[in-house]
Amino acid sequence: MTATAEPEVGKARLRKEDARLITGRTRWTDNITLPGMLHLAIKRSPMAHAKILNIDTSAARTMPGVIAVFTAADLDAEGAVGAPCAWPITPDMKSPRRPMLAADKVNFAGEGVAVVVARSAAEAQDALEAIDVDYSDLPVVLDMEAALTDGYPLVHEELGTNRNALWVFDSGEAGTGGNVEDAIRDAEVTVTRRFRQQRLVPAFMEPRSVVVDPTAAQLTVWSATQIPHILKTMTALTLGLPEHKLRVVAPDVGGGFGGKIGVLPEELMAVVVAQKVGRPVKWTETRSECMLAAHHGRDQIQDITISANRDGTVTGLKVDLIADMGAYLGLVGPGVPILGAFMFNAIYKFPAYRFACTNVFTNKTLTDAYRGAGRPEATFAVERIMDELAVELGMDPMALREKNWIKHEEFPFTTVCGLTYDSGNYEAATDRAKQLFDYDGLRREQQERRDRGDVVQLGIGISTYTEMCGLAPSRVLGSLSYGAGGWEHAAIRMLPTGKVEVLTGSSAHGQGHETAWSQIVSDQLGVPFEDIEVLHGDTQSSVRGMDTYGSRSLAVGGTAVVMAAEKVVAKAKPVAAHMLECSEDDLEFSGGKFSVRGTDKAVTIQDIALTVFLAHDLPEGMEPHLDAEAVYDPQNFSFPHGTHLCATEVDTETGRVTIRSYVCVDDVGKVVNPLIVEGQVHGGLVQGISQALYEEAVHDETGTLTNGTFADYHVPSAADMPSFTTDRTETASTTNPLGVKGVGEAGTIASTPAVVNAIVDALRHLGVHEVEMPCTPKRVWQAIQQGGAR
């Protein structure tokens, strides 16, 4: 096959991986079956906070098919190092050990207390019923605000407090802006609001699963994880295993959204149990188990004060957060609110800013990264408070935003947080969105409905957002005490027949890496798209990597691929000159060919690959391969942005909300594959809208999750969603050679405030100033009744 002259980057190619993913002809972790494999099932506590008085496993040990039953004492789990947290955000952060199995006390409903090993998954599940556990109730801590008060019951008595950490950023102290207290004191207008970010379940398609084979010289772990490289290192450190004797494989993974970013007690337990029984083992959670015991997302109380002059110029922003960590700390959980700290100022030119976050322990499953990780929470708060300020000033909310945002000619722009936004054009994205949305026409219709006193009122919601993507700069992460770097690795192998293997440390779980990376390499090397294979997710083949999260894959991992490709071309050049009997200075490389300027003499890079393999006539000192690798560690984040506009119709008699129109115009920099971008945007929009309207993990007064199945927890279908009108503007990022910015989280970040702003806007004239998420018909109706009573 020969490469075409048309560039691959920018082409809307169907994804290579879809044929196997959509038809199920793939290898999920739970599909893996090994000779002699045993199955694990975990006995989980129904109590949120209780002492363990006794665990009787005698009956379970006699059940059919049962090989063994282990408690914490049997596994020596009580003395082992706990599941790791890699982000100690302050030197005095409280970090309780999370055991593989609880020994003396359980701290959330769903915590494991015993594990059954059996010949089949069904027999392991059956044996759980025969395990008898005696508990003694302890006071349950659920209210994160109350948990901070003196004398309140403690989740972890040994810590002496429910406070995990207090993290503060002050622009006055940091030298990046003024003092926010002075700004608020001197302001002509101040607005203070409290917003609630409810607890969410990531609800990925494929439940968590792990298979461990201890029978070979190298112990192999297959896991449905986003982070195979990090999992390998952390497993070695946590369990004291020699890292060179450990291999981790993330096969095809059915979604993650941050929910598979942890190093799980179940993964560690599977390794320990496999070593004890000397046979391969598998653990695959049930869906209800996933809802109950996997990590959750969001769960914050946000107190926001904004100050401004009467003309609408903002002068200060003060943010006080309380964030629920749950009973333990996730791998990056404490740092999730801190990621948001740098985005509360959003696209606006705040001269003074202060952010303070208190992380709190409660008797619930832990929280950790969930699509957007801190940035959706920040965007929601600032976009809601901008609407509230507009009402206080009597301004159109779009006009207020336009007055305060960074103008396109002001880039690069250093924000009040000290970040440098490299590029953007908020005016262009907004103008296009307003045109597609018919903003002025909908405002007129809204007024007409109000004048008529219609039962169904029209609301218009705005979200003009930005986010920091390409979570990477190692020095920045180090300054925030993050426990790893942010670089990414790639390698390219030129095979003798001219085909290409690309190895990437960024491991996909639905993002389309195999297609996008093939497009990039096709353009860089001039090799046909079909001749390129992308390998990922196996630490034995892709030996280095920092994995996939934070919309970093393309901006960081894709750039590493480009750099590796450039090295391949550079290695091929002297061979081409030797073959063509010319100076290297006389060569040009384009479309996969080295040609001699001013002549028709040329040789393809694929021909060079075969020549190098044969090694019959190579330049002196040339190794017989063109393979190359590269590591990329960017100096800055990338900053996609956009404008999302939502029109809702709200029935004031029933509280029912219907999205009539949704328009988004995003700027994600250079687009490698428009089809993949559209898919990411649509998926992100669904998750953000779902937070606004449908989803919430609800616990009763005993700490029991009351909606732990898909029958009770509303994950929307296509029937629940409107049709989206999407478009893009493009300003290339200057922080990476591809000019890309990231798109995986954009829709989720922007859509939630757009929807809630639209709902509140529809009901503002009825005295409604806030509807707590999710904005169910009941909550909307109650807000209308309470607003009318004021």
Side-chain angles (χ1 to χ4, degrees):
M1 303 188 71
T2 58
T4 62
E6 182 184 358
E8 279 291 337
V9 170
K11 190 181 292 186
R13 274 196 175 272
L14 294 175
R15 301 196 317 177
K16 284 184 172 184
E17 45 272 77
D18 281 350
R20 70 174 191 274
L21 295 176
I22 292 173
T23 61
R25 295 181 179 183
T26 187
R27 209 177 193 205
W28 313 109
T29 302
D30 192 45
N31 294 149
I32 295 170
T33 300
L34 302 176
M37 188 173 72
L38 302 173
H39 296 262
L40 309 184
I42 299 170
K43 180 72 172 181
R44 297 189 181 274
S45 168
M47 317 291 289
H49 200 200
K51 290 182 178 179
I52 300 173
L53 302 180
N54 183 59
I55 304 176
D56 184 356
T57 62
S58 57
R61 294 175 193 273
T62 65
M63 295 282 285
V66 172
I67 302 298
V69 182
F70 297 116
T71 64
D74 300 319
L75 296 179
D76 192 27
E78 191 173 359
V81 176
C85 172
W87 203 337
I89 59 172
T90 63
D92 61 349
M93 184 181 83
K94 307 294 185 184
S95 186
R97 187 182 67 86
R98 184 183 186 185
M100 289 181 280
L101 291 171
D104 301 317
K105 187 166 79 86
V106 293
N107 291 310
F108 69 95
E111 186 165 12
V113 297
V115 58
V116 173
V117 186
R119 298 184 188 280
S120 71
E123 288 170 324
Q125 286 289 334
D126 287 345
L128 293 182
E129 298 297 321
I131 299 175
D132 188 24
V133 186
D134 292 331
Y135 297 98
S136 175
D137 287 357
L138 292 170
V140 178
V141 179
L142 299 174
D143 185 323
M144 64 178 115
E145 198 166 22
L148 294 171
T149 59
D150 291 339
Y152 205 77
L154 299 177
V155 177
H156 301 283
E157 290 279 351
E158 69 276 14
L159 299 182
T161 180
N162 288 321
R163 187 190 305 271
N164 160 249
L166 171 64
W167 192 92
V168 178
F169 175 86
D170 190 303
S171 64
E173 294 177 1
T176 57
N179 182 283
V180 78
E181 298 297 343
D182 292 344
I184 292 171
R185 183 195 63 222
D186 298 338
E188 296 172 348
V189 177
T190 61
V191 176
T192 298
R193 293 287 185 272
R194 168 168 284 200
F195 303 124
R196 184 74 170 87
Q197 285 279 327
Q198 76 271 38
R199 179 174 279 247
L200 302 175
V201 176
F204 30 75
M205 186 178 296
E206 175 204 22
R208 299 175 301 163
S209 183
V210 60
V211 172
V212 179
D213 183 2
T215 61
Q218 190 178 46
L219 187 145
T220 301
V221 178
W222 290 265
S223 180
T225 181
Q226 296 176 221
I227 54 166
H229 297 89
I230 293 173
L231 177 59
K232 177 184 177 182
T233 301
M234 286 296 188
T235 300
L237 289 171
T238 303
L239 297 180
L241 299 176
E243 190 175 2
H244 68 294
K245 293 293 187 180
L246 182 62
R247 175 189 179 191
V248 173
V249 183
D252 283 323
V253 176
F257 312 123
K260 294 176 180 174
I261 203 175
V263 176
L264 310 178
E266 294 89 351
E267 288 168 323
L268 301 174
M269 185 195 313
V271 172
V272 173
V273 169
Q275 290 178 309
K276 273 193 170 290
V277 299
R279 291 168 62 178
V281 301
K282 178 194 289 185
W283 171 75
T284 299
E285 67 184 353
T286 65
R287 177 60 66 182
S288 56
E289 197 175 12
C290 175
M291 305 281 280
L292 179 69
H295 84 241
H296 292 171
R298 312 286 192 255
D299 210 355
Q300 295 179 359
I301 296 171
Q302 305 172 311
D303 290 316
I304 315 293
T305 298
I306 191 170
S307 61
N309 297 328
R310 273 286 165 199
D311 68 355
T313 303
V314 295
T315 62
L317 184 69
K318 181 180 179 181
V319 178
D320 286 298
L321 293 190
I322 304 176
D324 190 343
M325 296 291 98
Y328 298 103
L329 299 179
L331 188 67
V332 297
V336 167
I338 310 312
L339 289 174
F342 299 96
M343 287 287 104
F344 275 89
N345 53 288
I347 65 174
Y348 308 115
K349 295 183 284 189
F350 285 101
Y353 171 62
R354 185 180 191 276
F355 170 94
C357 178
T358 302
N359 290 344
V360 184
F361 292 114
T362 63
N363 290 121
K364 304 174 204 170
T365 191
L366 61 85
T367 58
D368 209 321
Y370 174 58
R371 197 169 189 170
R375 290 154 291 163
E377 297 93 312
T379 299
F380 179 84
V382 72
E383 289 304 291
R384 284 288 297 114
I385 202 71
M386 289 296 283
D387 261 30
E388 296 302 302
L389 177 61
V391 171
E392 184 69 23
L393 294 169
M395 291 182 68
D396 180 272
M398 186 65 85
L400 177 66
R401 288 168 167 82
E402 291 171 348
K403 183 176 184 63
N404 287 286
W405 68 38
I406 304 159
K407 306 300 187 289
H408 69 275
E409 64 270 14
E410 295 178 292
F411 289 97
F413 185 90
T414 300
T415 73
V416 72
C417 291
L419 293 182
T420 299
Y421 294 178
D422 64 312
S423 67
N425 192 327
Y426 309 141
E427 301 98 312
T430 301
D431 288 346
R432 180 60 178 152
K434 289 173 70 174
Q435 178 186 4
L436 293 170
F437 189 69
D438 187 20
Y439 183 84
D440 294 333
L442 286 170
R443 283 291 183 203
R444 289 192 295 271
E445 181 184 342
Q446 179 186 49
Q447 189 58 52
E448 290 168 2
R449 289 196 184 196
R450 288 188 179 179
D451 293 342
R452 292 196 303 264
D454 285 4
V455 169
V456 178
Q457 288 290 312
L458 178 66
I460 297 169
I462 302 167
S463 177
T464 50
Y465 80 99
T466 190
E467 57 162 325
M468 59 180 190
C469 288
L471 188 63
S474 295
R475 290 185 179 181
V476 175
L477 295 178
S479 71
L480 296 172
S481 302
Y482 183 67
W487 50 266
E488 195 49 84
H489 174 264
I492 292 179
R493 298 196 291 232
M494 287 293 302
L495 304 180
T497 57
K499 312 302 182 185
V500 178
E501 290 178 338
V502 180
L503 295 92
T504 174
S506 176
S507 183
H509 47 280
Q511 291 88 345
H513 288 17
E514 294 172 37
T515 302
W517 273 225
S518 295
Q519 291 179 266
I520 291 169
V521 172
S522 179
D523 281 355
Q524 292 293 317
L525 298 182
V527 174
F529 173 84
E530 295 81 4
D531 286 355
I532 299 165
E533 189 75 14
V534 178
L535 307 175
H536 61 87
D538 185 341
T539 63
Q540 194 168 68
S541 56
S542 177
V543 295
R544 282 177 288 278
M546 279 296 172
D547 304 317
T548 299
Y549 42 86
S551 292
R552 67 188 303 274
S553 294
L554 186 58
V556 188
T559 299
V561 169
V562 170
M563 293 170 63
E566 290 172 344
K567 289 184 178 182
V568 170
V569 173
K571 290 182 74 171
K573 191 173 186 178
V575 184
H578 187 72
M579 293 171 68
L580 296 170
E581 299 180 331
C582 68
S583 167
E584 290 184 41
D585 296 336
D586 294 332
L587 289 178
E588 296 177 332
F589 182 74
S590 178
K593 291 182 180 181
F594 286 96
S595 56
V596 182
R597 291 187 185 90
T599 75
D600 59 357
K601 296 172 64 177
V603 62
T604 70
I605 197 168
Q606 291 174 296
D607 290 337
I608 295 170
L610 181 58
T611 297
V612 169
F613 170 74
L614 295 174
H616 293 165
D617 184 19
L618 295 180
E620 190 68 29
M622 177 74 190
E623 295 179 338
H625 68 83
L626 297 179
D627 302 352
E629 60 182 304
V631 172
Y632 179 59
D633 193 348
Q635 297 301 304
N636 195 7
F637 302 97
S638 60
F639 300 94
H641 68 84
T643 297
H644 288 223
L645 301 175
C646 177
T648 59
E649 293 184 328
V650 182
D651 189 319
T652 59
E653 291 182 345
T654 66
R656 179 179 174 83
V657 175
T658 303
I659 297 179
R660 171 172 145 179
S661 174
Y662 196 101
V663 169
C664 64
V665 177
D666 296 298
D667 186 334
V668 298
K670 185 75 173 177
V671 171
V672 173
N673 186 315
L675 198 61
I676 291 176
V677 168
E678 281 294 291
Q680 291 281 5
V681 169
H682 278 231
L685 290 175
V686 170
Q687 284 184 280
I689 292 170
S690 189
Q691 178 177 2
L693 297 179
Y694 304 123
E695 293 188 47
E696 182 178 24
V698 179
H699 294 81
D700 66 16
E701 66 278 1
T702 69
T704 300
L705 182 67
T706 62
N707 56 342
T709 71
F710 282 162
D712 309 295
Y713 186 91
H714 189 162
V715 175
S717 70
D720 296 306
M721 289 291 119
S723 294
F724 306 124
T725 301
T726 63
D727 203 353
R728 291 187 302 276
T729 57
E730 184 178 306
T731 55
S733 173
T734 63
T735 66
N736 62 78
L738 283 169
V740 298
K741 295 184 177 181
V743 70
E745 296 157 318
T748 303
I749 288 169
S751 58
T752 309
V755 173
V756 176
N757 277 339
I759 294 168
V760 174
D761 183 62
L763 305 174
R764 183 83 67 177
H765 65 295
L766 301 177
V768 175
H769 300 286
E770 182 62 25
V771 180
E772 189 172 304
M773 297 187 293
C775 301
T776 60
K778 179 180 178 180
R779 284 185 176 171
V780 173
W781 183 85
Q782 288 174 333
I784 294 169
Q785 307 313 306
Q786 293 164 2
R790 280 200 287 267

